[in-house]
Amino acid sequence: MSIWRVILSIFCPPLAVLDRGCGSIVIVFLLWLCGWVPGVIAALVILNNPKR
């Protein structure tokens, strides 16, 4: 996880997970609409997943 991805996930979480697939984008976008903090947390969790 690069520092640029972390910064991007803080300002606009759906853009940070663009390369992780459509499902990740939709989940992060919906959480981001519910509130800024859930979207940021979800983006950081998805970016920190070592399987991808």
Side-chain angles (χ1 to χ4, degrees), residues 19-45:
D19 64 340
R20 301 295 178 150
C22 183
S24 297
I25 296 169
V26 170
I27 290 171
V28 171
F29 184 74
L30 290 175
L31 286 171
W32 189 46
L33 287 178
C34 292
W36 177 74
V37 174
V40 171
I41 291 172
L44 290 174
V45 167

Side-chain angles (χ1 to χ4, degrees), residues 1 5-6 9-10 17 39-49:
M1 181 167 49
R5 288 278 175 120
V6 173
S9 69
I10 291 171
V17 295
V40 171
I41 291 172
L44 290 174
V45 167
I46 290 172
L47 288 175
N48 200 24
N49 188 359

